[in-house]
Amino acid sequence: MANKSEARQKKILVTGFDPFDGQKVNPASQAVFKLPDEISGAAVIKLEVPTVFGRAAQVVREAIIKEQPDCVLCVGQAGGRACLTPELVAINYDDAGVPDNAGQQPVEQVIQADGQAAYFTQFPVKKLVSAIRKAGVPAKVSTTAGTFVCNHLMYQVQYLREQEFPQLKAGFIHVPFVPEQVTRRPNSPSMALATIVKGLEAAIAVIVEN
Amino acid sequence: MANKSEARQKKILVTGFDPFDGQKVNPASQAVFKLPDEISGAAVIKLEVPTVFGRAAQVVREAIIKEQPDCVLCVGQAGGRACLTPELVAINYDDAGVPDNAGQQPVEQVIQADGQAAYFTQFPVKKLVSAIRKAGVPAKVSTTAGTFVCNHLMYQVQYLREQEFPQLKAGFIHVPFVPEQVTRRPNSPSMALATIVKGLEAAIAVIVEN
Amino acid sequence: MANKSEARQKKILVTGFDPFDGQKVNPASQAVFKLPDEISGAAVIKLEVPTVFGRAAQVVREAIIKEQPDCVLCVGQAGGRACLTPELVAINYDDAGVPDNAGQQPVEQVIQADGQAAYFTQFPVKKLVSAIRKAGVPAKVSTTAGTFVCNHLMYQVQYLREQEFPQLKAGFIHVPFVPEQVTRRPNSPSMALATIVKGLEAAIAVIVEN
Amino acid sequence: MANKSEARQKKILVTGFDPFDGQKVNPASQAVFKLPDEISGAAVIKLEVPTVFGRAAQVVREAIIKEQPDCVLCVGQAGGRACLTPELVAINYDDAGVPDNAGQQPVEQVIQADGQAAYFTQFPVKKLVSAIRKAGVPAKVSTTAGTFVCNHLMYQVQYLREQEFPQLKAGFIHVPFVPEQVTRRPNSPSMALATIVKGLEAAIAVIVEN
């Protein structure tokens, strides 16, 4: 276990989207920047990505080239969900109910003409859920990342992996609204930022130890 | 405004129930004991009450006699709600879906034969909601405290007020599950303890300033 | 059982509100007018009432005077609920989130200055729920009729009973949206009109047999 | 438009699952067998399929060979959903939370080792949704068919199409519980069988006209 190649510290790139759809905050990027710089011995590189079809993937690709991470975890907001949801799969399909932050609103579009219909994450989603719950945070596996920029980025990172970075492991976790976003939508579930951060830490520990 | 009688510090008694129905914690009592000892200049007296029909009210009555508070705020858990809910009204009706902590399970019972059909709170519930929201915490007015020990205690305190303590102002706030309680019920909304405490503080500030 | 006084046929007045808040239909009045003219031997008198504070109660009062019913069942729409909900209690409190059909929007108003804080229904709500379920229709007891015209009318009929018609038995059942109302709100529960009618019939059978 | 090749009547095979997980009925098969035998000029062939991994697909394959349909629409129950949901995509992944009707409970299994990660339906799901809504029935596109036998069958039919029946168009619609299934789960949405049938008819009209 102590040979030279293992002496290199593992590295995980964790991305969070900027606010979109008129929101002032995005709990995804807020949570990402509250993560510690090291989890289970791995270096945690944090990156905010624009909520923009296409551009989001370019920004992540540049960071992968620069940082050479072992894993990429993208984090996004899923308003209306009550718990953390590691995503199982991303599909080759953009369909935006609202414009992205560059005003784009693709309808029923293929993301990559030569990409697969879908890509599964390399992360063990059930283990992630167990670890998040053990940390006291509600979680369940999700089988849809939607059809907006979240699914888009999850798909694009997998496509990049297939095309350029075959060693990479990648995946996505959706997080709920924070309470501040839903003070006037009192029936909408939310989760405190500190709870989200705790859950993400537990998930990242599993990711970097696998 | 600066006469002697006003020199006395205002006092609010805040109660929270102990765990019931197989739960290990009750966010109500947990939150109550995390409140500061003074809010907006008023002394905050904290009390855990048993989740027991009848006994809950006796414990609060003894504390009222001992502490002579200006206000009594009772706090209880409403599993499944996503926000803080100041209660408008308590009804003269016990009907327990599960046993209380003494094994009692009243069915369609009148609480006080000579009590009113219902009592409204003396607290300005809409102002409470506004203040809680301003603190960044989701809230809405509730028009039913249910038919379990929460409604029972809210009713009983109002009955005591009518019978013995006419100067008292009293009311009730329901709080959601904390995340730890619903890790395996991932569709159930929850709220972090710190968020609950922040919301209760904002509500208490309004109560003691009115 | 066959004496003269019992020779008179029982009579139940069943009311339903007209559409409000921009809706084209109100499943309450639609369902009421689809009821048979006789249920369990009792005559069923059907009446549409305006969704208007005050006026709704006058219309029902006139019908009570004219028809001399044994029972009055008022039916209203509770958008967002998934099942039929017999109401336990009405409170002395008007607070309208939207204007009624006359443009009135009372805020935190007492309905009757000399009325009780609340009135309980004379109907056996749990038996109603059992009978509705036995007919294959989801139901549960509700402990709040809200603070709009539904609660208002339920309260007012009880107040009339107390003041003028002490023999009367009265109560309220809320019904869900029908599917046509929520085609574009696909997460909102709804219930087919035929299902609502079947559930109301089962409830009315219990009411007139008690 | 009246040439010989078009003289042949279009044919759609519509399948519904049998009851599973302790339920006495399955609204999917109930609804399928209430469909008319002809919709928009196309013959409607109805088939009940067992809720069994593997076997469900064999039964449908045999029916495709026998009936030579132009389209295959599979219908399944999605308890908890409030509306009809045409499915966009099926994924190569079985993961059963409960046993199927043969006692099988696959965990994180690939369905077809040489199959694609996912297959998109050939049906225009947004047009289906529009047509269902126009018929007065709530609907929305779903981007996940789950990981139980429903997704399995949708995936398998697409795989069969790829391998054996390239002319085929195929897809899946999930339907809610019927009211009889949730009388004691009153917060669960449901939909009357007649409403489900009306919605399926509207969808099938679009499918066979495209």
Side-chain angles (χ1 to χ4, degrees), chain A residues 161-186:
Chain A
R161 178 183 175 271
E162 192 177 63
Q163 301 287 321
E164 302 184 56
F165 312 109
Q167 309 302 330
L168 202 65
K169 292 181 178 183
F172 198 102
I173 297 181
H174 266 119
V175 304
F177 283 134
V178 285
E180 293 77 4
Q181 292 176 284
V182 293
T183 55
R184 286 164 191 290
R185 280 182 285 176

Short mmCIF file of all heavy atoms in Angstrom, two decimals, chain A residues 161-186:
data_model
loop_
_atom_site.label_atom_id
_atom_site.label_comp_id
_atom_site.label_asym_id
_atom_site.label_seq_id
_atom_site.Cartn_x
_atom_site.Cartn_y
_atom_site.Cartn_z
N ARG A 161 -15.14 12.16 -20.18
CA ARG A 161 -14.46 10.97 -19.65
C ARG A 161 -14.25 9.95 -20.76
O ARG A 161 -13.14 9.42 -20.95
CB ARG A 161 -15.31 10.37 -18.53
CG ARG A 161 -14.72 9.11 -17.92
CD ARG A 161 -15.66 8.55 -16.87
NE ARG A 161 -15.12 7.28 -16.40
CZ ARG A 161 -15.38 6.10 -16.96
NH1 ARG A 161 -16.19 6.02 -17.99
NH2 ARG A 161 -14.82 5.00 -16.48
N GLU A 162 -15.31 9.69 -21.51
CA GLU A 162 -15.24 8.70 -22.58
C GLU A 162 -14.24 9.12 -23.66
O GLU A 162 -13.49 8.31 -24.19
CB GLU A 162 -16.64 8.53 -23.18
CG GLU A 162 -16.79 7.35 -24.11
CD GLU A 162 -18.23 7.23 -24.58
OE1 GLU A 162 -18.72 8.18 -25.27
OE2 GLU A 162 -18.88 6.23 -24.28
N GLN A 163 -14.26 10.41 -23.99
CA GLN A 163 -13.44 10.91 -25.09
C GLN A 163 -12.00 11.19 -24.69
O GLN A 163 -11.09 10.94 -25.47
CB GLN A 163 -14.05 12.23 -25.62
CG GLN A 163 -15.48 12.10 -26.13
CD GLN A 163 -15.55 11.37 -27.46
OE1 GLN A 163 -14.70 11.56 -28.32
NE2 GLN A 163 -16.54 10.50 -27.62
N GLU A 164 -11.81 11.75 -23.48
CA GLU A 164 -10.49 12.29 -23.15
C GLU A 164 -9.89 11.80 -21.83
O GLU A 164 -8.66 11.80 -21.69
CB GLU A 164 -10.56 13.82 -23.05
CG GLU A 164 -11.05 14.53 -24.28
CD GLU A 164 -10.98 16.04 -24.09
OE1 GLU A 164 -9.88 16.57 -23.79
OE2 GLU A 164 -12.04 16.70 -24.22
N PHE A 165 -10.73 11.50 -20.87
CA PHE A 165 -10.21 11.25 -19.52
C PHE A 165 -10.69 9.90 -18.98
O PHE A 165 -11.44 9.85 -17.99
CB PHE A 165 -10.63 12.36 -18.56
CG PHE A 165 -10.40 13.76 -19.08
CD1 PHE A 165 -11.49 14.56 -19.44
CD2 PHE A 165 -9.11 14.28 -19.21
CE1 PHE A 165 -11.28 15.85 -19.92
CE2 PHE A 165 -8.91 15.58 -19.69
CZ PHE A 165 -10.00 16.37 -20.05
N PRO A 166 -10.29 8.81 -19.57
CA PRO A 166 -10.86 7.51 -19.22
C PRO A 166 -10.62 7.08 -17.76
O PRO A 166 -11.33 6.22 -17.26
CB PRO A 166 -10.19 6.55 -20.20
CG PRO A 166 -8.97 7.25 -20.68
CD PRO A 166 -9.30 8.71 -20.66
N GLN A 167 -9.62 7.67 -17.10
CA GLN A 167 -9.35 7.29 -15.71
C GLN A 167 -10.32 7.93 -14.72
O GLN A 167 -10.38 7.53 -13.56
CB GLN A 167 -7.92 7.71 -15.31
CG GLN A 167 -6.83 7.26 -16.26
CD GLN A 167 -6.81 5.75 -16.42
OE1 GLN A 167 -7.17 5.02 -15.50
NE2 GLN A 167 -6.41 5.28 -17.60
N LEU A 168 -10.99 8.96 -15.19
CA LEU A 168 -11.82 9.76 -14.30
C LEU A 168 -13.02 8.98 -13.77
O LEU A 168 -13.62 8.20 -14.50
CB LEU A 168 -12.32 10.98 -15.10
CG LEU A 168 -12.76 12.21 -14.33
CD1 LEU A 168 -11.59 12.84 -13.60
CD2 LEU A 168 -13.36 13.22 -15.32
N LYS A 169 -13.36 9.24 -12.51
CA LYS A 169 -14.66 8.81 -11.99
C LYS A 169 -15.49 10.08 -11.77
O LYS A 169 -14.97 11.07 -11.26
CB LYS A 169 -14.50 8.06 -10.67
CG LYS A 169 -13.80 6.71 -10.84
CD LYS A 169 -13.70 5.99 -9.51
CE LYS A 169 -13.05 4.60 -9.70
NZ LYS A 169 -13.00 3.85 -8.43
N ALA A 170 -16.76 10.02 -12.14
CA ALA A 170 -17.54 11.26 -12.05
C ALA A 170 -18.99 10.97 -11.65
O ALA A 170 -19.50 9.86 -11.85
CB ALA A 170 -17.51 12.00 -13.38
N GLY A 171 -19.61 11.98 -11.10
CA GLY A 171 -21.00 11.83 -10.69
C GLY A 171 -21.60 13.15 -10.27
O GLY A 171 -20.96 14.21 -10.39
N PHE A 172 -22.83 13.08 -9.77
CA PHE A 172 -23.61 14.29 -9.51
C PHE A 172 -24.47 14.08 -8.26
O PHE A 172 -25.02 13.00 -8.06
CB PHE A 172 -24.52 14.56 -10.72
CG PHE A 172 -25.05 15.96 -10.80
CD1 PHE A 172 -24.49 16.89 -11.68
CD2 PHE A 172 -26.11 16.37 -10.00
CE1 PHE A 172 -24.97 18.19 -11.76
CE2 PHE A 172 -26.59 17.67 -10.06
CZ PHE A 172 -26.03 18.58 -10.95
N ILE A 173 -24.57 15.12 -7.46
CA ILE A 173 -25.51 15.09 -6.32
C ILE A 173 -26.39 16.34 -6.38
O ILE A 173 -25.89 17.46 -6.51
CB ILE A 173 -24.78 15.03 -4.96
CG1 ILE A 173 -23.97 13.72 -4.86
CG2 ILE A 173 -25.78 15.13 -3.81
CD1 ILE A 173 -23.22 13.55 -3.52
N HIS A 174 -27.71 16.12 -6.33
CA HIS A 174 -28.64 17.23 -6.23
C HIS A 174 -28.91 17.56 -4.76
O HIS A 174 -29.01 16.65 -3.92
CB HIS A 174 -29.97 16.89 -6.92
CG HIS A 174 -30.04 17.36 -8.33
ND1 HIS A 174 -30.21 16.53 -9.41
CD2 HIS A 174 -29.96 18.63 -8.86
CE1 HIS A 174 -30.24 17.23 -10.53
NE2 HIS A 174 -30.09 18.50 -10.23
N VAL A 175 -29.06 18.86 -4.48
CA VAL A 175 -29.34 19.30 -3.10
C VAL A 175 -30.62 20.13 -3.09
O VAL A 175 -30.98 20.74 -4.11
CB VAL A 175 -28.16 20.12 -2.53
CG1 VAL A 175 -26.87 19.31 -2.59
CG2 VAL A 175 -28.00 21.45 -3.25
N PRO A 176 -31.33 20.13 -1.95
CA PRO A 176 -32.59 20.90 -1.86
C PRO A 176 -32.35 22.41 -1.81
O PRO A 176 -31.22 22.88 -1.71
CB PRO A 176 -33.19 20.44 -0.51
CG PRO A 176 -32.46 19.20 -0.13
CD PRO A 176 -31.08 19.35 -0.74
N PHE A 177 -33.44 23.16 -1.88
CA PHE A 177 -33.41 24.58 -1.55
C PHE A 177 -32.87 24.75 -0.13
O PHE A 177 -33.06 23.88 0.72
CB PHE A 177 -34.82 25.18 -1.56
CG PHE A 177 -35.40 25.46 -2.91
CD1 PHE A 177 -36.71 25.08 -3.21
CD2 PHE A 177 -34.69 26.14 -3.88
CE1 PHE A 177 -37.28 25.35 -4.46
CE2 PHE A 177 -35.25 26.43 -5.13
CZ PHE A 177 -36.54 26.03 -5.41
N VAL A 178 -32.26 25.90 0.16
CA VAL A 178 -32.02 26.28 1.56
C VAL A 178 -33.24 27.06 2.06
O VAL A 178 -34.00 27.62 1.26
CB VAL A 178 -30.72 27.12 1.72
CG1 VAL A 178 -29.50 26.21 1.61
CG2 VAL A 178 -30.64 28.26 0.72
N PRO A 179 -33.44 27.10 3.39
CA PRO A 179 -34.65 27.74 3.93
C PRO A 179 -34.88 29.16 3.44
O PRO A 179 -36.02 29.56 3.16
CB PRO A 179 -34.41 27.71 5.45
CG PRO A 179 -33.51 26.53 5.67
CD PRO A 179 -32.62 26.47 4.45
N GLU A 180 -33.80 29.94 3.29
CA GLU A 180 -33.93 31.33 2.87
C GLU A 180 -34.66 31.45 1.52
O GLU A 180 -35.25 32.48 1.21
CB GLU A 180 -32.55 31.97 2.72
CG GLU A 180 -31.78 32.15 4.02
CD GLU A 180 -31.14 30.87 4.54
OE1 GLU A 180 -31.23 29.82 3.86
OE2 GLU A 180 -30.56 30.90 5.64
N GLN A 181 -34.56 30.42 0.68
CA GLN A 181 -35.17 30.49 -0.65
C GLN A 181 -36.68 30.24 -0.63
O GLN A 181 -37.36 30.54 -1.61
CB GLN A 181 -34.52 29.45 -1.58
CG GLN A 181 -33.07 29.75 -1.93
CD GLN A 181 -32.47 28.64 -2.78
OE1 GLN A 181 -32.15 27.58 -2.28
NE2 GLN A 181 -32.34 28.88 -4.06
N VAL A 182 -37.18 29.67 0.45
CA VAL A 182 -38.59 29.27 0.44
C VAL A 182 -39.39 29.83 1.61
O VAL A 182 -40.41 29.28 1.99
CB VAL A 182 -38.72 27.73 0.42
CG1 VAL A 182 -38.20 27.17 -0.89
CG2 VAL A 182 -38.02 27.08 1.60
N THR A 183 -38.93 30.97 2.14
CA THR A 183 -39.67 31.52 3.30
C THR A 183 -41.13 31.79 2.96
O THR A 183 -42.00 31.68 3.80
CB THR A 183 -39.01 32.81 3.83
OG1 THR A 183 -38.91 33.74 2.74
CG2 THR A 183 -37.63 32.54 4.39
N ARG A 184 -41.40 32.15 1.69
CA ARG A 184 -42.76 32.43 1.27
C ARG A 184 -43.41 31.28 0.50
O ARG A 184 -44.50 31.42 -0.06
CB ARG A 184 -42.79 33.70 0.40
CG ARG A 184 -42.60 34.93 1.24
CD ARG A 184 -42.25 36.15 0.45
NE ARG A 184 -41.85 37.19 1.37
CZ ARG A 184 -42.68 37.81 2.20
NH1 ARG A 184 -43.97 37.55 2.17
NH2 ARG A 184 -42.24 38.71 3.05
N ARG A 185 -42.71 30.17 0.42
CA ARG A 185 -43.30 28.96 -0.17
C ARG A 185 -43.26 27.88 0.91
O ARG A 185 -42.53 26.91 0.83
CB ARG A 185 -42.49 28.52 -1.40
CG ARG A 185 -42.83 29.31 -2.66
CD ARG A 185 -42.04 28.81 -3.85
NE ARG A 185 -40.65 29.24 -3.77
CZ ARG A 185 -39.70 28.87 -4.64
NH1 ARG A 185 -39.99 28.05 -5.62
NH2 ARG A 185 -38.47 29.32 -4.51
N PRO A 186 -44.07 28.08 1.96
CA PRO A 186 -43.87 27.31 3.20
C PRO A 186 -44.14 25.82 3.06
O PRO A 186 -43.78 25.06 3.95
CB PRO A 186 -44.83 27.97 4.18
CG PRO A 186 -45.84 28.65 3.34
CD PRO A 186 -45.18 29.04 2.05
#
